[in-house]
């Protein structure tokens, strides 16, 4: 029996965010409020003076790797081969300063180093000698590097509530990313997950602004460290500024309507926390907020981001977003106008990424006086500063360094720890779990034997659905269950695919001779537009599987492997136990099996409100009016499971809650303490 007094210091959060958004970033300023020169700022100034307009607009251009290779974009064949004409045209003639992406799929470190060396060798032949800044989506580890350590997606990390672990994982990701000579990671997502229908909900740290801010801060600390010229660190990127995560339609890249008060209360604080932690880059929201596309919103990009939050680094567009101002948003008549609007609004770098019109047209715009030279110099100064800070001029690749821990057992253990700590036990009637080792278990359901389902998107490929890019030797739930309980105790019948029936009858037959049925339901990988859905309810085929299994009377455990909370209220009463696994990645199979056997005592807690009904998508910090209806009875606050919910295999009692004082000063702190007692027999992390 353990008793611990937990003491929490709560900081007073002002409802009007204004008060805490004043410049807090560590910038060196003198008494006249002018920035003091540093060795890097001197170098940048000197270099800038030598640069022509063509050099400058090239620096502001980011192209996809496809644009340097033999073959057509989106269909680059292996082995990846540079096209000598294309690479020279882009890097020398157009002086393109940044490249991104993977030309189709993940690549081994050796190949990455060869690619980056090839690019830098050409790029640095320019008169200015400026190296390329390469950016990559490293979302849950080095997911585009073959053999890298893959850990749970952000929504699962949030369920651990473990900041120091998140910091360690971000450091692992940085190590393995820089080992491939890739210095810029497009992560973390700091959008607050307020809409559970959104296809990128699982990329968030959940629905609570403070949790998102803390996890985001930890990610920046782990990824960037104190010095990004360290060959084990990268620069990270705040995504996606701002208001992207609460589209009115619930669909990706559509309009958000957010009163300024909500913007400040919910969506800006994580960005402020990351700026304070030294974030060096930011990616802009592809959608629009209050009718204004993110990429032309100068109030957000200048007044809020620069003046209020104090951000000094690079603002990069999202994929093709200046083009989208014409084709999707319809706010610019043509591409050239769109470039003028976005650069004048405060964009520093355009993720073009598939043509060379951007630098050509931007140059014309400056010559025509439509974009001021000062705006160009400001953007290029930011880009060069980051390149110097990364040490790219001295070491454009990291090939001189050794990375013995890449994909190591030590790193894998951390990914496993995260997967274990994320496991969230939502229901456990009559103590069905843990399952005794002697039980006969039927495993069924569409996510039971799929590494792709557990990893989610941004794994090997963008959508993460191609099994050819899965990490070799990693265990699915089925394989890990066979290891944990013995092959002879496990029977497997898939039953259904995500939304089609395969062989439910066979599964039902097998359930009759099993002591317990473990049904792994949920989703297959998706991200961005391909992940849009019209119904948050779990697909019908899966509901049917669970209903028919329940008719056998065999006790049921549901394992949810899903990126957003699919509604299961029809089948939840049919299950004795429900385990939420989120997207636990490569070690997820082991984490699930150990949790079902009791080797792991689950300690994850929901970082969002799990809805019960499709029309009651309310977060935990609802208004009184959302709940109270004295006359007609409807109450939108009936979640399936509440924010913060999570059971374990022991009994934890809370008592003696005490608040140190009745008063709290503006921006002050207050101590709250509570007695926590483990009255059960097994240890627990609480
Ligand atoms: C996504 C970003 C991503 C970028 C680069 C975009 O489509 O919205 O999150 O970083 O592509 O791959």
């Amino acid at each position: 029996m353990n008793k611990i007094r937990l003491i929490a210091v709560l900081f007073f959060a002002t409802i009007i965010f204004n008060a805490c958004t004043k410049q807090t970033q560590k910038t060196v300023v003198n008494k006249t409020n002018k920035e003091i020169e540093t060795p890097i700022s001197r170098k940048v100034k000197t270099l800038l003076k030598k640069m022509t307009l063509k050099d400058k607009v090239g620096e502001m251009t980011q192209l996809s790797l496809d644009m340097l290779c033999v073959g057509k974009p989106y269909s680059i064949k292996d082995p990846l081969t540079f096209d000598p004409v294309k690479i020279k045209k882009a890097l020398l003639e157009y002086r393109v300063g940044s490249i991104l992406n993977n030309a189709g799929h993940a690549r081994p470190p050796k190949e990455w180093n060869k690619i980056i060396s090839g690019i830098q060798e050409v790029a640095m032949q320019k008169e200015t000698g400026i190296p390329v800044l390469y950016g990559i989506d490293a979302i849950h580890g080095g997911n585009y590097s073959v053999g890298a350590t893959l850990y749970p997606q952000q929504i699962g990390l949030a369920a651990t509530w473990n900041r120091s672990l998140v910091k360690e994982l971000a450091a692992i990701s940085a190590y393995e990313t820089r080992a491939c000579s890739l210095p810029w990671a497009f992560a973390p997502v700091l959008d607050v997950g307020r809409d559970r229908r959104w296809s990128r909900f699982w990329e968030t740290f959940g629905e609570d602004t403070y949790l998102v801010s803390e996890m985001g801060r930890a990610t920046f600390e782990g990824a960037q460290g104190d010095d990004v010229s360290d060959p084990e660190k990268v620069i990270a990127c705040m995504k996606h500024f701002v208001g992207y995560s609460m589209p009115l339609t619930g669909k990706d890249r559509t309009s958000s309507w957010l009163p300024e008060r909500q913007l400040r209360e919910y969506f800006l604080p994580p960005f402020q926390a990351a700026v304070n932690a030294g974030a060096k880059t930011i990616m802009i929201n592809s959608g629009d907020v209050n009718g204004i596309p993110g990429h032309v919103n100068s109030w957000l990009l200048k007044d809020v981001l620069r003046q209020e939050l104090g951000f000094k680094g690079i603002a990069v567009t999202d994929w093709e977003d200046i083009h989208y101002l014409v084709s999707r948003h319809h706010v610019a008549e043509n591409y050239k106008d769109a470039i003028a609007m976005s650069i004048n609004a405060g964009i520093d770098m355009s993720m073009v990424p598939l043509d060379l019109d951007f630098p050509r047209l931007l140059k014309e715009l400056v010559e025509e006086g439509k974009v001021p030279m000062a705006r160009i110099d400001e953007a290029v100064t930011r880009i060069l500063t980051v390149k110097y800070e990364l040490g790219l001029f001295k070491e454009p690749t990291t090939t001189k360094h050794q990375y013995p821990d890449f994909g190591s057992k030590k790193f894998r253990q951390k990914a496993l720890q995260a997967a274990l700590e994320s496991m969230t036990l939502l229901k456990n009637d009559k103590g069905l779990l843990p399952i005794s080792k002697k039980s006969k278990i039927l495993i069924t359901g569409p996510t039971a034997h799929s590494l792709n389902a557990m990893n989610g998107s941004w794994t090997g490929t963008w959508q993460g659905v191609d099994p050819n890019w899965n990490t070799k030797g990693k265990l699915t739930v089925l394989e890990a269950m066979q290891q944990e309980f013995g092959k002879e105790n496990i029977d497997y019948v898939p039953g259904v695919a995500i939304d089609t029936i395969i062989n439910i009858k066979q599964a039902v037959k097998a359930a009759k001779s099993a002591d317990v049925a473990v049904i792994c339901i949920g989703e297959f990988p998706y991200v961005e537009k391909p992940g849009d859905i019209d119904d948050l309810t779990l697909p019908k085929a899966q509901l049917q599987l669970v209903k028919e299994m329940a008719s056998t009377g065999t006790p049921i455990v549901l394992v949810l492997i899903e990126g957003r909370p699919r509604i299961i209220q029809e089948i939840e009463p049919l299950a004795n136990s429900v385990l939420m696994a989120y997207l636990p990645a490569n070690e997820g199979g082991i984490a699930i099996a150990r949790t079902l056997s009791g080797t792991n005592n689950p300690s994850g807690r929901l970082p969002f409100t799990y809805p019960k009904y499709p029309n009651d998508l309310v977060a935990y910090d609802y208004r009184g009016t959302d709940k109270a209806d004295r006359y007609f009875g409807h109450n939108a606050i009936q979640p399936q499971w509440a924010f913060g919910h999570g059971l374990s295999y022991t009994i934890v009692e809370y008592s003696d809650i005490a608040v140190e004082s009745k008063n709290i000063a503006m921006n002050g702190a207050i101590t709250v303490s509570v007695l926590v007692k483990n009255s059960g027999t097994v240890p627990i992390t609480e």
Side-chain angles (χ1 to χ4, degrees), residues 58-294:
E59 274 305 299
M60 295 167 70
T61 309
Q62 186 179 59
L63 291 187
S64 174
L65 176 58
D66 304 52
M67 289 287 288
L68 311 180
C69 301
V70 172
K72 287 210 174 90
Y74 299 126
S75 51
I76 300 297
K77 299 263 177 322
D78 287 325
L80 179 143
T81 315
F82 286 132
D83 180 325
V85 176
K86 284 190 197 166
I87 195 170
K88 278 194 187 142
K89 186 171 178 192
L91 301 181
L92 299 182
E93 191 187 331
Y94 280 86
R95 298 156 212 194
V96 168
S98 182
I99 306 289
L100 87 152
N101 219 0
N102 60 12
H105 54 75
R107 299 175 184 278
K110 215 170 157 190
E111 190 183 351
W112 270 126
N113 277 305
K114 205 171 141 211
I115 293 171
I116 309 300
S117 302
I119 291 174
Q120 299 294 31
E121 218 170 89
V122 179
M124 293 175 85
Q125 287 168 19
K126 294 188 297 264
E127 231 164 85
T128 56
I130 304 173
V132 152
L133 175 59
Y134 204 106
I136 198 84
D137 290 288
I139 308 290
H140 66 129
N143 44 249
Y144 282 162
S145 301
V146 173
T149 309
L150 299 186
Y151 49 78
Q153 298 282 4
Q154 277 188 207
I155 196 69
L157 295 185
T160 70
W161 299 74
N162 187 341
R163 287 169 281 209
S164 54
L165 181 59
V166 166
K167 184 173 168 182
E168 285 180 277
L169 292 167
I172 290 173
S173 178
Y175 177 101
E176 294 187 343
T177 303
R178 200 75 189 260
C180 298
S181 290
L182 300 165
W184 185 10
F186 298 141
V189 165
L190 298 177
D191 302 306
V192 184
R194 304 290 291 186
D195 192 318
R196 280 142 284 191
R197 300 167 299 172
W198 188 40
S199 60
R200 309 191 73 171
F201 179 79
W202 53 272
E203 286 188 77
T204 75
F205 285 120
E207 77 185 26
D208 178 62
T209 300
Y210 182 67
L211 181 60
V212 175
S213 304
E214 286 297 288
M215 292 302 199
R217 181 178 55 74
T219 308
F220 276 93
E221 287 172 359
Q224 298 194 164
D226 298 328
D227 175 8
V228 292
S229 73
D230 181 337
E232 294 182 8
K233 294 292 168 196
V234 294
I235 50 168
C237 185
M238 306 182 272
K239 296 202 307 193
H240 306 79
F241 191 74
V242 60
Y244 183 31
S245 54
M246 204 171 153
L248 199 62
T249 63
K251 308 266 164 68
D252 189 47
R253 286 176 160 78
T254 58
S255 310
S256 300
W257 293 91
L258 300 169
E260 187 174 340
R261 175 163 164 181
Q262 199 176 25
L263 200 69
R264 291 182 178 283
E265 192 174 340
Y266 292 106
F267 297 100
L268 286 174
F271 289 93
Q272 179 71 78
V275 169
N276 294 352
K280 296 197 181 294
T281 66
I282 193 162
M283 196 182 289
I284 308 308
N285 169 14
S286 237
D288 59 87
V289 174
N290 302 333
I292 306 174

Side-chain angles (χ1 to χ4, degrees), residues 129 154 172 287 322 379 532 570 582:
Q154 277 188 207
I172 290 173
I322 300 185
D532 284 350
E570 269 185 58
Y582 313 93

